[in-house]
Structures are given as structure tokens and as C-alpha cells.
Amino acid sequence: MTQLKAFIVEDSPVIRENLVAALEEMAPIRVVGNAEDESAAIGWLNQRENECDLVVVDIFLKSGSGLGVLKAMGEMPNAPQRIVLSNHATPEVRVKCQQLGATKVFDKSNELDEMLGWLNRFAQSDRGAAASRS
């Protein structure tokens, strides 16, 4: 199975630490970086030496928003795969995130298993294998 490199955008240190642990234990993921606000996330993603296959984004951040991160990523050449993990995954938010380029939107409170299943399937897919080679 292909191991994917992931970047996490989450402002809560406790949630971020637990998410990193869960991703690295339960999915073929190696977390290569994280940010707690929009500007730090965009700055990291814009640095050529920083590479990742997947970005996991929360909507509400310390400053700025995950929507701003998604929008900025939409303007990046060869942007990595984007998924959203948020406590605010309402139908409207899901649509807006997908309009901004998110492949999937998961609710933190009750869709973690679905997210892990999707990540495992993505890593096994041709797209996941291609992403990890680029």
C-alpha cells in the first residue's frame, strides 16, 4: 500500500495531536507538517521544498479559515488532494468546500471511521499511488 504524505491544518493542539496519531496508526499516512492558521498553512504549501499528497483542513482556525486555505490551494499548480475535517460539516459547508476543491468533507464528531476508510481506499487507488510518486 502506498504511504501518503499529509499536511494538517488544525488549530486545536489536542485535536491535531490525536489526529496525527490516528492517521499514522490507522492509515498509510506520514504527517509531514501542520499549521494552526490560514497564513501559516498557505505559507507552508507555497514553499517548493514542502511536498505532500494530501491536506486535511479544518474550517475554523486560530486566524483566517480553512475556506481560505482551500481557495488558495485552488490557485496552486499541482495542488495536493484536499479533504476537510470539521465540526461544522453542514450541507451548506460541504457544498462550499467542494466548490473550493475539497474532494471530501467529514464531520469530526461522527465520520472519523469514514474518513479513515476513504484514506485507505485513496492510498490503494491509482490516484493515491500517483500522488505519492510525484
Side-chain angles (χ1 to χ4, degrees), residues 46-123:
N46 276 322
Q47 292 180 15
R48 286 185 183 264
E49 65 273 11
N50 294 335
E51 293 183 5
C52 63
D53 307 307
L54 172 75
V55 178
V56 181
V57 182
D58 186 13
I59 297 297
F60 293 101
L61 303 172
K62 199 170 236 179
S63 65
S65 76
L67 297 175
V69 175
L70 292 173
K71 183 177 180 187
M73 289 180 69
E75 298 167 2
M76 294 176 185
N78 304 316
Q81 189 81 286
R82 294 154 278 203
I83 65 171
V84 172
L85 180 63
S86 178
N87 283 325
H88 306 280
T90 64
E92 296 82 13
V93 167
R94 290 174 190 267
V95 168
K96 182 66 175 173
C97 290
Q98 290 174 335
Q99 289 172 342
L100 291 172
T103 302
K104 297 290 284 182
V105 179
F106 299 99
D107 190 312
K108 283 182 191 174
S109 63
N110 62 10
E111 294 181 334
L112 289 176
D113 288 340
E114 288 88 346
M115 181 188 73
L116 291 168
W118 184 88
L119 289 169
N120 279 294
R121 287 187 303 277
F122 177 69

